[in-house]
Amino acid sequence: MLLKFSIYVILLIATNIIFTFLLSCKDNISEPKVMQIKTLGFEDKFALRMVLSEPYLYVCAGSDGVWKRNIRLAENSWQYLGLRDTSLGKYTNVGTLDIDVLDDDILVAYNGSTPHIEPDSSVSVWRSTNGGKNWFRSDSGIPETIEDPYEYNIFTSLQRSPHQPNIVIGGTDVYNYRSTDGGSNWSMLSGQRGIVVGKGYIRWHPFQPGEIWYFGETALFAPYCGAGQDYGLKGKVSLPWDSLGCTYDGAVYDVAFDVDNPGIVYAASSCGLLKTTDGGYTWRKNALQLPDNGFIFRIVHHPTTGGTLYLAGGRQIYATFNGGLNVQKIGEIEKGFITSLVWDSIGNQLFIGTTEGGIYKMRF
């Protein structure tokens, strides 16, 4: 009897130890922790848009031009590639605004609309085919002016299709152009020229070939978000902003996707984080509750793990866990506000671009 009781006690203790261990392991795997943030410099420039093309991290710095850094080397510095024009002023909507890199072929969306530049000399797309050593305008088919002699040639965003790199779409909130030869020649895809432009962004759906998302804010402070298919040739769906109970004035700041379910799309907006599970036909408001009631300005999805997002607003950085059901604050920058996020799968790290604090990396 004593022997049986002793065995029972031993088994009970062992079971408790195993259960505690498994619970600890589950917590460590599913829930992110507050992470250490390391600065990479760049404090005196805006990091408006970043893109990773091995082994370099490329940065659009507005009027300070385009820069890159080899992130696979422990000790390295930022390398200036060109397109600086400080006469444009220190603003987040001028100069180099978006970038797409395919090996040594670089395309840059550009806004140089200032009084000292004549409209018929303005450039919307700059290109380099040798890694940034030399640049040339690559906007054939996009007229500098149409009827208004003061209408500048402006692109606020452009992106190559990840599935058909010869197809590039770029433009603003009121018009979009399409190229089928990698960004050399363009034709109008949608919209209308001659209207005051706001801020427009373009992102291809990486897990749904041919699908592209347009979002941003018009010059009248009206939000918009919608998707096209067949590589931009057909419309698909628009975000029903009003029916969600959102105010008219607002913006959609960023979108992200889910690797496990292409129908899941997230939209960071002035109306909170919105989510669709059917490709954009129906949406849910307040899809995630932030622990400090903050807001989301930038969002990036994990390319291989479904339900995993990295989000930022102001100075705060968050991550989802438990399959995307919960969100936790994982860090905070010291000054400025966060303008761009890039996830690096090889280094298992997050790069964070800001307006004043430079560029940071957060290693997981």
Side-chain angles (χ1 to χ4, degrees), residues 71-85:
I71 59 173
R72 304 304 173 205
L73 298 179
E75 297 297 331
N76 199 12
S77 58
W78 291 101
Q79 179 183 350
Y80 171 64
L81 298 183
L83 303 183
R84 179 194 282 128
D85 185 356

Side-chain angles (χ1 to χ4, degrees), residues 36-350:
Q36 292 284 335
I37 302 178
K38 179 181 178 181
T39 181
L40 296 178
F42 218 72
E43 292 89 349
D44 58 336
K45 293 174 281 291
F46 293 159
L48 300 180
R49 168 74 173 153
M50 303 187 298
V51 65
L52 182 58
S53 181
E54 289 296 330
Y56 296 104
L57 180 67
Y58 291 83
V59 185
C60 283
S63 58
D64 280 308
V66 178
W67 298 72
K68 74 176 182 179
R69 177 171 177 153
N70 189 329
I71 59 173
R72 304 304 173 205
L73 298 179
E75 297 297 331
N76 199 12
S77 58
W78 291 101
Q79 179 183 350
Y80 171 64
L81 298 183
L83 303 183
R84 179 194 282 128
D85 185 356
T86 55
S87 67
L88 297 176
K90 197 79 168 181
Y91 306 102
T92 58
N93 62 343
V94 296
T96 59
L97 299 180
D98 202 0
I99 186 169
D100 190 286
V101 182
L102 181 63
D103 299 324
D104 286 334
D105 193 349
I106 307 173
L107 293 171
V108 171
Y110 195 80
N111 177 12
S113 56
T114 57
H116 76 280
I117 296 177
E118 293 295 328
D120 60 2
S121 300
S122 60
V123 181
S124 61
V125 182
W126 288 100
R127 187 175 188 179
S128 173
T129 55
N130 55 9
K133 296 178 183 178
N134 305 101
W135 296 89
F136 56 92
R137 68 181 301 173
S138 188
D139 54 1
S140 178
I142 308 172
E144 291 92 341
T145 62
I146 297 188
E147 295 180 357
D148 185 349
Y150 298 101
E151 182 195 7
Y152 290 86
N153 188 20
I154 297 169
F155 267 28
T156 56
S157 186
L158 60 75
Q159 292 285 288
R160 287 185 178 94
S161 163
H163 303 99
Q164 295 286 343
N166 59 303
I167 298 178
V168 192
I169 294 180
T172 70
D173 61 307
V174 294
Y175 57 79
N176 287 296
Y177 282 82
R178 185 174 186 262
S179 171
T180 58
D181 58 6
S184 295
N185 298 281
W186 302 78
S187 58
M188 180 169 276
L189 179 64
S190 62
Q192 180 181 352
R193 293 290 297 265
I195 301 175
V196 178
V197 302
K199 295 180 180 179
Y201 303 95
I202 294 167
R203 297 292 177 261
W204 292 93
H205 195 317
F207 314 120
Q208 195 80 292
E211 184 168 302
I212 185 168
W213 284 76
Y214 311 91
F215 58 95
E217 178 184 15
T218 71
L220 298 178
F221 309 107
Y224 74 95
C225 179
Q229 52 192 3
D230 195 14
Y231 295 93
L233 295 179
K234 297 179 181 178
K236 179 188 175 184
V237 69
S238 295
L239 175 68
W241 184 265
D242 294 337
S243 65
L244 291 173
C246 302
T247 60
Y248 175 77
D249 289 347
V252 176
Y253 307 121
D254 211 348
V255 295
F257 310 91
D258 189 272
V259 64
D260 288 343
N261 185 345
I264 296 178
V265 181
Y266 301 89
S269 77
S270 56
C271 194
L273 186 67
L274 311 175
K275 180 182 179 180
T276 177
T277 58
D278 57 9
Y281 294 98
T282 61
W283 291 81
R284 180 162 60 93
K285 190 177 174 183
N286 299 321
L288 288 175
Q289 183 63 44
L290 300 184
D292 52 5
N293 295 318
F295 75 99
I296 300 302
F297 182 67
R298 289 288 178 255
I299 178 172
V300 62
H301 56 267
H302 196 285
T304 59
T305 305
T308 300
L309 303 170
Y310 302 99
L311 315 100
R315 299 180 182 180
Q316 319 303 319
I317 307 158
Y318 310 89
T320 61
F321 60 100
N322 289 343
L325 298 176
N326 303 99
V327 60
Q328 176 186 312
K329 179 179 174 180
I330 58 173
E332 181 177 353
I333 63 171
E334 295 181 356
K335 58 182 179 179
F337 65 90
I338 297 170
T339 50
S340 52
L341 295 175
V342 169
W343 174 256
D344 169 25
S345 293
I346 294 178
N348 199 35
Q349 56 193 345
L350 183 70

